[in-house]
Amino acid sequence: MEAYLYTALFAPLVGSLFAALFADKPKNLVTGIATSTLLFVSWISSVVLLIHVSHGGSVHVEMMDWIQAGGLSIPFGFVVDQVSATMMFVVTTVSTVVHVYSIGYMDHDRSFNRFFAWLSAFVFSMMVLVMSDNFAGLFIGWEGVGLCSWALIGFWYERDSASWAASEAFIMNRIADLGMLIGIFLVYWNFGSLQYDVVFAQVDAMESTILMLVTAFLFIGAMGKSAQFPLHTWLADAMEGPTPVSALIHAATMVTAGVYLVIRANPLYSEVPEVSYFVACLGAFVAIFAASMALVNRDLKRIIAYSTLSQLGYMFVAAGLGAYWIALFHLMTHAFFKALLFLGAGNVMHAMNDELDIFKMGGLAKKMKWTMIMMTLASLALAGIYPFAGFFSKDKILEAAFATDHYILWATLWVTAGLTAFYSFRLVMLVFFGEERYKIFGFHPHEAYKYMLWAMAPLALLAVVAGFFEHDFVHLVSYVLPIEEYHVSTGVFWTLVAVTLGIAITGIAVAVIVYSRGGFSKKLEETFVYKLLFNQYYIPKLYNDFICKPYAELSKIFWKDLDLKVVDATVDFIAGTIYKSGMVSRVVQSGNLSNMLRWMGVGLLILLIAAIFYSPMR
């Protein structure tokens, strides 16, 4: 099995290096085909490993000694257990589809080869993150996906907006990563190791205060990667990157890393209910917070991005309540329908010459039937409609919240479910149905290449059927994760299912009825609530006015008053003094023998005087 582990891990790296060889060359179709093929090989290996560990086993390899410093010993090791194998399957499935799809999407881009080099590197970094057997290796993959996201979000760096969005994502994640790094230092300081098995074996003997600090700092890192409030603003702005990148970030790599960290470190979080409850509360807040902003947004990709932020909130609620397997289950099902939504959005963008305003679309179902069908299926899964995948995982989170008597969390998620259904079908109605508004703006939409649609087909299938594998999934992860049984009576259970489905269906019905009749009144846009949601609660403005601008002004002050007047002036003074003394002393090196002898005499006289005054005989 070790060969399959190495293949799954390093095949994306080989693809990235191969594409990098042609990064500055004109488009080479072989680059896209080769990287996609290698991703498919990685997927096959991941499936083989998933089947292997489904019987309770695991694969653990240590390639070499990595860091040896004093008492610190970190091997370059990887583990494939039931959790990491699930993540590998999700990552490689979505990534393979995205790679094949990108061959068509990036067809006319002059940096075609560079794109695939970074895209495969992105996947490799995520594989390192989920397969490492220690916190240090996880951190290397963590920083790797951060670097690759910076390069891919800012892929079209000629645009100021793309360059700014990439820097925002990178800097905001570095702020959070400082917290995570402190958490990792605390782990080593108190446990004496960074190996998962060694650390988790000592949890019972550790003081609760230490565990609270460790888990809190680790969660700060998760907040940045998974864009939890208040470190959330980068996620919507990251839509400046190519749409396949958005699909990969939101479905299988970057933002899922934070959830994975909490799931992987579940033995730590299980011992500190205070921190776990905070994780759940923050997740519930972010779920409804992001959903409310999606209600009024006009940008096709940003609406889907806010839905990701909201669904991440659901995952953190499950993890915070100790339902780690449900959090992982929702992560998996969400990956399939969210990637499908983004790739469908990519088709719409191509058809509309990169237009993103959904109010400039409408009636595209006639021109893009297959894209419409697949995005509708994905939207039904996102809304949690039976029998689509999202129903099974989202319903389990609501059931866990209710069964553990966290009724406020349940109510928050229940309301969010209705909002999610509404904004999902608001998007579908405004893009694919109703008046053909695109004609007013002179667009001539068309369906995507057939092989791009075929590439999306596996995701469409999984968005429909993945939920039916719930029992197999529970059996798989039960070897590693605690499986909590939530006891509610049969009547209560079916009531919960009914009210959850009811609010989702109501949300869909309202969206269909309202937007089939032309939408809400324009007066709505003049209300305070609408403006508040449309401007993201003015949080980006607050960050800009109270953090970015003061920091920039403070930097100018330090530059003008400290750097130029003190630091530069001091350096210039020292340099000028040395230069002037050199100019004065140049007369000594005249080349005249008489002058040279005269200066030798002066030097000898100085030495004699010094010898007399400092002689030990005085």
Side-chain angles (χ1 to χ4, degrees):
M1 286 294 122
E2 290 186 15
Y4 288 106
L5 185 151
Y6 291 134
T7 302
L9 176 62
F10 290 112
L13 176 62
V14 174
S16 176
L17 295 175
F18 175 78
L21 295 174
F22 307 96
D24 59 343
K25 302 291 191 299
K27 174 193 170 183
N28 184 352
L29 193 61
V30 174
T31 300
I33 296 173
T35 52
S36 300
T37 302
L38 285 165
L39 254 296
F40 182 67
V41 170
S42 180
W43 177 80
I44 292 174
S45 299
S46 298
V47 171
V48 171
L49 289 166
L50 181 64
I51 295 171
H52 174 72
V53 302
S54 65
H55 302 296
S58 64
V59 183
H60 191 186
V61 299
E62 291 186 2
M63 294 179 61
M64 64 188 81
D65 290 333
W66 179 25
I67 299 176
Q68 294 284 350
L72 176 63
S73 177
I74 305 176
F76 199 61
F78 300 94
V79 63
V80 177
D81 59 11
Q82 289 71 22
V83 172
S84 56
T86 300
M87 289 296 297
M88 290 165 63
F89 173 75
V90 171
V91 171
T92 54
T93 300
V94 174
S95 300
T96 302
V97 169
V98 169
H99 271 70
V100 175
Y101 175 91
S102 297
I103 296 174
Y105 189 88
M106 302 298 291
D107 186 39
H108 301 296
D109 197 284
R110 62 185 178 87
S111 297
F112 182 90
N113 301 331
R114 176 168 63 90
F115 177 81
F116 279 94
W118 280 113
L119 199 66
S120 290
F122 203 3
V123 180
F124 170 68
S125 298
M126 190 64 185
M127 295 292 276
V128 171
L129 191 157
V130 302
M131 295 174 68
S132 290
D133 66 353
N134 61 80
F135 285 101
L138 178 144
F139 190 71
I140 294 300
W142 194 274
E143 294 304 298
V145 295
L147 173 64
C148 294
S149 68
W150 169 80
L152 289 167
I153 293 169
F155 183 76
W156 291 312
Y157 55 84
E158 301 90 348
R159 304 177 185 173
D160 290 339
S161 57
S163 181
W164 187 90
S167 297
E168 180 191 20
F170 191 79
I171 293 169
M172 194 164 284
N173 274 275
R174 297 295 74 70
I175 294 169
D177 290 353
L178 175 61
M180 181 181 178
L181 200 56
I182 293 172
I184 292 175
F185 285 150
L186 288 172
V187 168
Y188 177 70
W189 186 267
N190 292 282
F191 292 88
S193 175
L194 293 177
Q195 299 295 114
Y196 294 146
D197 52 355
V198 176
V199 171
F200 298 156
Q202 301 179 54
V203 169
D204 292 337
M206 200 59 58
E207 294 180 12
S208 60
T209 304
I210 293 172
L211 291 176
M212 287 181 66
L213 287 172
V214 169
T215 52
F217 278 111
L218 289 178
F219 184 63
I220 291 173
M223 287 169 62
K225 270 293 182 288
S226 294
Q228 297 296 284
F229 178 87
L231 303 174
H232 65 281
T233 56
W234 70 266
L235 189 61
D237 292 333
M239 297 303 96
E240 289 290 339
T243 304
V245 174
S246 302
L248 207 52
I249 288 176
H250 287 250
T253 53
M254 185 88 164
V255 298
T256 61
V259 180
Y260 170 77
L261 172 61
V262 176
I263 294 171
R264 174 56 75 185
N266 73 87
L268 299 175
Y269 284 92
S270 296
E271 296 296 319
V272 279
E274 301 88 352
V275 175
S276 295
Y277 185 63
F278 172 79
V279 171
C281 290
L282 181 64
F285 168 75
V286 170
I288 196 167
F289 171 73
S292 66
M293 292 187 288
L295 293 174
V296 300
N297 205 282
R298 301 169 63 104
D299 187 299
L300 174 64
K301 288 175 66 178
R302 283 176 179 262
I303 294 170
I304 304 173
Y306 285 130
S307 78
T308 299
L309 186 54
S310 183
Q311 297 305 304
L312 287 167
Y314 274 88
M315 296 175 207
F316 278 118
V317 170
L321 296 178
Y324 302 104
W325 76 267
I326 300 177
L328 186 61
F329 187 44
H330 192 51
L331 186 156
M332 180 183 73
T333 60
H334 172 264
F336 303 139
F337 57 75
K338 185 49 59 67
L340 184 60
L341 274 174
F342 268 114
L343 298 185
N347 292 350
V348 173
M349 284 180 64
H350 265 199
M352 297 291 293
N353 297 331
D354 291 336
E355 178 58 58
L356 286 167
D357 190 342
I358 57 177
F359 282 85
K360 293 182 180 180
M361 301 176 188
L364 291 179
K366 297 178 182 178
K367 302 288 186 178
M368 308 180 70
K369 181 180 71 172
W370 288 108
T371 297
M372 180 274 293
I373 291 172
M374 285 192 275
M375 287 193 73
T376 302
L377 292 176
S379 296
L380 287 166
L382 175 60
I385 301 300
Y386 181 86
F388 299 93
F391 165 80
F392 294 90
S393 55
K394 186 185 291 187
D395 194 67
K396 278 292 179 183
I397 297 173
L398 287 160
E399 182 185 344
F402 193 90
T404 54
D405 300 330
H406 294 96
Y407 300 120
I408 295 177
L409 295 182
W410 176 85
T412 303
L413 298 181
W414 180 73
V415 173
T416 303
L419 300 180
T420 302
F422 174 80
Y423 70 67
S424 297
F425 277 83
R426 170 179 175 263
L427 183 151
V428 170
M429 293 300 296
L430 286 171
V431 172
F432 294 109
F433 300 98
E435 181 185 353
E436 296 174 341
R437 294 179 299 277
Y438 64 85
K439 292 181 178 179
I440 302 173
F441 301 97
F443 294 117
H444 302 283
H446 54 83
E447 186 59 281
Y449 297 136
K450 287 186 177 180
Y451 69 84
M452 293 171 68
L453 296 173
W454 278 110
M456 295 166 63
L459 294 177
L461 177 64
L462 288 168
V464 175
V465 306
F468 290 105
F469 293 93
E470 176 187 333
H471 296 295
D472 296 321
F473 181 85
V474 172
H475 174 73
L476 171 69
V477 299
S478 63
Y479 293 104
V480 180
L481 300 178
I483 305 298
E484 296 288 339
E485 294 291 339
Y486 300 103
H487 300 287
V488 293
S489 65
T490 304
V492 171
F493 171 77
W494 286 111
T495 301
L496 290 174
V497 172
V499 296
T500 304
L501 270 176
I503 196 170
I505 293 171
T506 301
I508 293 173
V510 171
V512 171
I513 293 170
V514 170
Y515 289 100
S516 62
R517 296 177 178 178
F520 290 102
S521 169
K522 288 290 183 181
K523 293 182 179 179
L524 181 65
E525 298 181 8
E526 300 173 5
T527 63
F528 170 76
V529 174
Y530 183 95
K531 292 178 180 178
L532 184 69
L533 299 179
F534 188 79
N535 290 286
Q536 306 172 56
Y537 294 91
Y538 295 98
I539 292 174
K541 179 175 174 57
L542 290 173
Y543 284 174
N544 186 57
D545 291 347
F546 293 99
I547 296 178
C548 297
K549 286 183 178 179
Y551 182 81
E553 291 300 319
L554 189 64
S555 299
K556 288 180 181 178
I557 292 171
F558 277 105
W559 168 54
K560 291 181 179 179
D561 296 336
L562 183 63
D563 195 35
L564 292 180
K565 294 181 181 179
V566 179
V567 178
D568 280 6
T570 302
V571 173
D572 291 343
F573 173 76
I574 294 171
T577 302
I578 294 173
Y579 180 78
K580 289 177 181 178
S581 64
M583 291 295 292
V584 171
S585 61
R586 284 177 65 184
V587 297
V588 177
Q589 300 294 334
S590 63
N592 185 288
L593 182 60
S594 298
N595 286 338
M596 300 296 283
L597 290 171
R598 201 172 290 120
W599 282 110
M600 288 175 62
V602 171
L604 180 61
L605 179 62
I606 292 172
L607 287 174
L608 289 172
I609 292 172
I612 292 171
F613 277 94
Y614 293 98
S615 172
M617 298 296 293
R618 291 183 75 250

